[in-house]
């Protein structure tokens, strides 16, 4: 394997993303514009967008006061008056729709070796995926987003400043030893994160009422740390980008229409293929995998970082949810290792014979073996938009083939 | 296996201990006396006590104002003016020395099917094992105990009342899926417990400052839930006691001099043998297992309940600490299953082929197979009292032989 990939790989496994703030996207993301709306996956025109993105960009336009209704929003998008941006190109990226607009709060992460910064909008708590994740906009969703940006974000920001930031790589390393894969399961890590902020909170100038408001918000948001993980994956992957000649994957995400990857040596260039569908298990026997929506979201960057599907053996309870045994998780990690440059010694999983997770996906190994990354995810219905099961999708092989051309 | 043991076993695996309060031992334990000091393990005279108990009962006598110094305390103990009690006989039992006196706070647990109540003193946080666990008494330890009883206990009690109690069996069932064995590792469960109290806390009449005081105390106490687990084990085991003819083990603990068990059909009768020593791994190569103090503490009731050593496969990170692989944990659970009546379906461990932990230790199976329970524990030095490693001890076979006579 090439020296270029060795360099990129060392940067990736050495990445130390630190969550260091939470504030308005328009202030946190350099060059952001009031008429810009970000979406997940590679770039996509409005006419090709799937439900969550169509709804999401229109919803964000209304939320931002750019348009008064869907018709006006669509007109402004088609005329270019409202700009659509691919989140990953802006060092952003959350689960699902990944809708991010000027007034929404984002979690900010800095990769310490390179200074690479990335963001992701926090999960919307009581509103579930809300506008950011599901593309759903209602007055309640809007009020909640305003509360997050106006009330919760400043509190979290203050706590993080007092903590000197939270090392996400270390947090997730602990989480892997607690049964979380850090993509579709974060049950233990969520509460470890919350607890890690309690003492720093006492060193802020916040009132006790404000401190409790923050803790209650974090406690109410299931999978809060997933969004931290998404931003951390982007920061870590981009810290390994732009190594001349390196093919190591530095982005891997979908928009439901297409799926795209970036590789280190080619910077921000996309290599796309039609969006993949899901394998897995529906909660209700009446539902079918043929109803599953194709992969949509930037959360699969977590796999490119070396977690989620590449750490399946860490999460026996997650595997049980799709009727798989721990040995299946070990086999999955062994399969993923066949297309990776090496392993990340920080991400220990005792059940893996080598002791830690594979990391550093290489297109040439995917093409050579025909093996593609298994990306953990909730299965959403094409019909209703709701979650109908848990499983995984595979990165299309075509993405890797194109990246090598 | 006998119908009597079937009944006792069903009670044991059906046990639903609920943590429902925290208050002064003298008020929480029926019949407690101001001149009574409890210790762990089976009954033991002062002259046969090991360091932690000797120091602990003297320390408690001074803490309670019964004696002004060691000499006076020992005199009062020998004259019977101060009474020593075996904690398990009083439905109490914490890790280590298990010292509990009138003014100390205790966590209270009620087993819901039987109404059986049990207690354990909470861990002493900044003072580590302190008086309760290590038998160490200093002015700082005393101040901390007063703060726990006077300040923290009422706050926790209020939160628990507002929560309607916390189901410990359910909490631990989740914890097993998060890499905790619930004896020597509680890293995930501790923070799940803390988080479970946040919303109930808001429904108390406590001030915000008091709410934060409670959360900070819980957050500062590593292995807080272990003490909850010790009380829950006693409540669960005693809920399975007094089934005529049943030999199922209902207590299993040591005082460093002797180790004792109780069996269901014989109520509170002890069956004792010399205290066992440790196997495992010293942190420092300069230390040796020959320096290890024999088993002292009631925490091994957790194994009799079906956790800790009987759930080793749940905790790969714990096993790694003693240089064992996950497969060793699975083998350990399989070995333990050979001396158990059955399994507890609530305590799921995906790595165990049968899906859940063995439960219900039967003396006849131990005698027949020669296999004895593996009890997880920290290894303490006989010389310094400090922790020198992690490992396990085995219940002496003699206890089981005597129980069948």
């Amino acid at each position: 394997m090439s020296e270029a990939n060795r360099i990129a790989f060392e940067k990736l496994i050495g990445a130390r993303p630190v969550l260091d703030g939470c504030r308005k996207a328009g202030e946190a993301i350099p060059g952001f514009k009031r008429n810009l709306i970000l979406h997940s996956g590679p770039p996509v025109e409005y006419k090709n967008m799937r439900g969550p993105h169509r709804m999401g960009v229109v919803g964000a336009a209304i939320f931002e006061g750019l348009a008064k209704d869907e018709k006006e929003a669509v007109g402004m998008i088609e005329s270019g008056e409202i700009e659509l941006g691919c989140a990953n190109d802006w060092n952003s990226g959350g689960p699902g729709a990944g809708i991010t607009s000027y007034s929404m709060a984002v979690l900010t992460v800095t990769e310490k070796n390179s200074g690479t910064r990335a963001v992701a909008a926090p999960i919307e708590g009581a509103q579930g995926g809300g506008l950011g994740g599901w593309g759903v906009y209602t007055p309640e969703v809007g009020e909640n987003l305003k509360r997050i940006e106006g009330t919760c974000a400043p509190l979290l920001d203050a706590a993080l400043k007092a903590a000197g930031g939270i090392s996400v790589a270390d947090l997730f390393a602990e989480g892997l030893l607690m049964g979380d894969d850090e993509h579709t399961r974060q049950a233990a890590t969520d509460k470890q994160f919350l607890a890690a902020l309690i003492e720093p909170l006492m060193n802020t100038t916040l009132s006790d009422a404000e401190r409790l408001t923050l803790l209650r918000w974090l406690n109410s948001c299931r999978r809060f740390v997933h969004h931290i993980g998404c931003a951390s994956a982007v920061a870590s992957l981009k810290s390994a980008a732009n190594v001349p000649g390196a093919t190591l994957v530095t982005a891997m995400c979908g928009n439901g229409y297409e799926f795209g990857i970036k590789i280190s040596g080619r910077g921000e260039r996309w290599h796309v293929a039609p969006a993949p569908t899901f394998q897995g298990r529906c909660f209700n026997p009446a539902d079918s995998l043929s109803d599953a929506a194709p992969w949509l979201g930037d959360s699969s960057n977590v796999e490119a970082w070396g977690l989620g599907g590449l750490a399946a053996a860490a999460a026996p309870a997650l595997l049980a949810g799709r009727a798989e045994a721990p040995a299946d998780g070990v086999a999955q990690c062994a399969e993923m290792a066949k297309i990776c440059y090496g392993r990340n010694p920080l991400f220990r999983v005792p059940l893996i014979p080598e002791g830690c997770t594979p990391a550093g996906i290489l297109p040439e190994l995917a093409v050579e073996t025909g093996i593609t990354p298994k990306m953990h995810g909730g299965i959403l219905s094409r019909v209703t938009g709701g979650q109908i099961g848990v499983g995984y999708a595979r990165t299309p092989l075509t993405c890797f083939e194109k990246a090598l051309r």
Side-chain angles (χ1 to χ4, degrees), chain A:
Chain A
M1 286 181 279
S2 75
E3 173 68 5
N5 275 335
R6 189 191 64 74
I7 293 168
F9 171 75
E10 295 292 342
K11 286 173 186 273
L12 180 65
I13 66 167
R16 291 297 178 269
V18 171
L19 177 70
D20 52 15
C22 185
R23 60 205 178 102
K24 196 181 280 197
E27 294 164 5
I29 306 176
F32 210 90
K33 292 174 276 191
R34 289 190 179 272
N35 66 333
L36 174 64
I37 299 169
L38 302 183
H39 62 79
S40 57
V44 56
E45 289 180 73
Y46 180 76
K47 69 175 179 352
N48 290 326
M49 279 184 167
R50 298 312 191 201
H53 280 156
R54 282 185 173 238
M55 296 190 308
V57 296
V58 166
I62 297 169
F63 171 67
E64 294 291 342
L66 299 170
K68 66 179 182 306
D69 57 21
E70 179 178 351
K71 192 179 166 196
E72 188 180 12
V74 173
M76 292 174 77
I77 290 166
E78 287 176 342
S79 73
E81 209 172 333
I82 289 175
E83 295 179 31
L84 302 183
C86 149
N88 192 267
D89 291 346
W90 288 82
N91 284 24
S92 176
I99 300 296
T100 305
S101 60
Y102 196 92
S103 304
M104 288 167 65
V106 290
L107 303 156
T108 67
V109 168
T110 305
E111 194 288 304
K112 284 296 169 186
N113 300 318
S114 61
T116 309
R117 294 182 58 77
V119 306
I123 196 161
E124 292 170 40
Q127 299 299 326
L131 179 60
W134 296 341
V136 169
Y137 182 71
T138 65
E140 292 74 26
V141 165
E143 283 311 305
N144 187 47
L145 284 172
K146 282 177 189 156
R147 176 174 175 266
I148 291 174
E149 192 279 319
T151 302
C152 304
L155 303 177
L156 178 56
D157 195 72
L160 290 168
K161 297 289 186 289
I166 295 285
S167 169
V168 184
D170 291 310
L171 178 72
F172 282 13
E174 279 302 310
L176 288 177
L177 297 175
M178 295 176 174
D180 290 341
D181 74 325
E182 305 301 354
H183 187 161
T184 42
R185 184 175 161 100
Q186 292 87 2
T189 316
D190 266 344
K191 304 313 181 194
Q192 298 290 315
F193 173 68
L194 179 156
L197 289 183
I198 292 177
E199 281 308 308
L201 255 183
M202 303 312 294
N203 295 325
T204 62
T205 58
L206 300 175
S207 71
D208 286 348
E210 289 172 321
R211 291 167 176 147
L212 286 165
T213 297
L214 176 62
L215 294 176
R216 293 182 72 191
W217 177 53
L218 296 175
N219 198 35
S220 73
C221 292
R222 211 170 66 85
R223 303 183 68 202
F224 190 91
V225 301
H226 182 33
H227 296 238
I228 299 172
C230 287
S232 299
V234 172
S236 299
L237 290 162
K238 297 230 173 188
S239 77
N242 300 309
V243 176
T247 58
L248 187 127
V249 172
T250 50
M252 190 164 83
C253 48
N255 56 39
Y257 171 65
E258 290 180 319
F259 193 95
I261 69 166
K262 294 177 179 176
I263 62 172
S264 174
R266 286 189 180 160
E268 302 294 338
R269 183 169 153 194
W270 287 101
H271 306 282
V272 303
T277 53
F278 270 88
Q279 297 295 310
R281 180 160 163 261
C282 293
F283 301 134
N284 184 337
D287 286 319
S288 156
L289 285 175
S290 61
D291 296 332
W295 189 278
L296 182 147
D298 287 356
S299 60
S300 37
N301 285 319
V302 166
E303 270 78 10
W305 185 19
L307 296 165
L310 275 71
L318 172 68
L319 294 167
R322 56 186 212 220
E324 291 187 25
D328 297 316
V330 176
Q332 180 174 326
C333 291
E335 186 195 29
M336 294 300 100
K338 291 181 183 166
I339 57 171
C340 285
Y341 184 95
R343 290 179 183 275
N344 190 333
L346 185 68
F347 292 151
R348 288 170 55 218
V349 178
L351 214 55
I352 298 177
E354 294 81 1
C356 56
T357 61
I361 298 168
L362 294 185
E364 48 270 57
L365 295 179
V367 169
E368 183 187 317
T369 60
I371 296 167
T372 48
K374 229 170 166 174
M375 307 174 293
H376 286 176
I379 303 175
L380 302 186
S381 165
R382 272 188 303 151
V383 185
T384 65
Q387 187 175 353
I388 56 173
V390 287
Y392 57 87
R394 296 265 192 181
T395 311
L397 192 61
T398 308
C399 295
F400 299 114
E401 290 167 345
K402 284 188 176 175
L404 296 175
R405 276 179 210 154

